[in-house]
Amino acid sequence: MSGSQVLTFTVGAAAGVCVASALFWATKREKSPKAVATEPAPDASNGINGINGVNGVNGVAEKTPEKAPEAEEKNQVPAEDRPADAPESCPGVSSEQAGKSSSCNGCPNQSLCASGEAKKKDPALADVQDRLAKVKRKILVLSGKGGVGKSTVSAQLSFGFSARSMDVGLLDVDICGPSVPRMLGLLGQDVHQSSEGWSPIYVDDHLAVMSIGFMLPNQDDAIIWRGPRKNGLIKQFLTD
């Protein structure tokens, strides 16, 4: 047997002995009883082991989990105090940090909130409430996804109520892709403006329709509106 072979055999044997010893002691340690250290019961008169913010359970001290300041602040912001297009981390338009916090970076309302204008009540809301107060029943057809049949359902509901001699107004607020005029066979119709506002297009004596599709010079024109411009048109639909 050569010297290199002897050396290889010796190293392998030593490694095997080390592994076997480690396994033996590990097995023996698992079978041996473990000592359990207990702590004295907490003193109610002096807090819990003299440490505030700690709960004593069976003599074991556990720290109470604390909420992150950002998460706690986000949960305290009511939905009506946060713009619809604002991020979830929005501090709220009534907050002193509105428009100034790092969570406001990239928000389309940042400059408006920083100037304090967002805190002011929109005067158009009173006009919208006054107009809608004359409507007996209001049905909203909404969805978080496009192409699922919102316009189809709205058109069928309108036809159904109109067939029962109910006065129906169908308002198409799909600004970016109005399809109601096409569904109702009203392509090419124009909206007229009077002293009382816009006059809707009537399908029959009981069904009136309003859509931005009536105002486009070309029905295939793309409308890419966001933020205040889009909301302003919807408010104008509701008030005029």
Side-chain angles (χ1 to χ4, degrees), residues 177-217:
S179 57
V180 168
R182 186 182 300 274
M183 286 186 175
L184 272 61
L186 300 176
L187 291 178
Q189 299 288 338
D190 295 327
V191 173
H192 300 284
Q193 192 169 9
S194 63
S195 58
E196 297 180 356
W198 286 335
S199 299
I201 305 300
Y202 280 85
V203 178
D204 53 37
D205 294 337
H206 297 285
L207 177 55
V209 183
M210 175 58 73
S211 173
I212 193 177
F214 298 135
M215 306 176 185
L216 299 178

Side-chain angles (χ1 to χ4, degrees), residues 41-156:
D43 187 1
S45 62
N46 190 24
I48 301 175
N49 293 335
I51 303 176
N52 293 328
V54 178
N55 295 331
V57 181
N58 297 330
V60 180
E62 295 182 357
K63 291 185 178 180
T64 303
E66 298 180 357
K67 294 182 179 180
E70 295 181 359
E72 185 176 358
E73 183 180 359
K74 183 180 70 172
N75 293 334
Q76 294 178 354
V77 178
E80 60 271 13
D81 197 34
R82 187 172 62 237
D85 53 351
E88 294 185 359
S89 57
C90 172
V93 296
S94 301
S95 172
E96 295 296 333
Q97 298 298 322
K100 305 173 185 178
S101 174
S102 59
S103 60
C104 299
N105 295 336
C107 178
N109 308 287
Q110 184 175 9
S111 59
L112 191 65
C113 293
S115 64
E117 292 295 327
K119 297 181 181 180
K120 299 179 181 179
K121 188 175 181 180
D122 190 353
L125 293 180
D127 296 335
V128 172
Q129 292 177 353
D130 182 62
R131 287 279 188 171
L132 294 182
K134 303 174 183 178
V135 181
K136 187 175 182 180
R137 296 181 180 88
K138 309 167 192 68
I139 300 177
L140 299 179
V141 181
L142 304 174
S143 174
K145 187 179 183 301
V148 295
K150 297 184 293 294
S151 298
T152 302
V153 172
S154 301
Q156 296 302 320

Side-chain angles (χ1 to χ4, degrees), residues 2-61:
S2 63
S4 60
Q5 292 177 341
V6 173
L7 179 61
T8 302
F9 176 79
T10 304
V11 173
V17 172
C18 291
V19 172
S21 300
L23 292 175
F24 172 76
W25 284 108
T27 305
K28 185 176 181 181
R29 188 174 180 180
E30 290 181 356
K31 293 182 179 180
S32 62
K34 296 181 181 180
V36 179
T38 59
E39 297 183 5
D43 187 1
S45 62
N46 190 24
I48 301 175
N49 293 335
I51 303 176
N52 293 328
V54 178
N55 295 331
V57 181
N58 297 330
V60 180

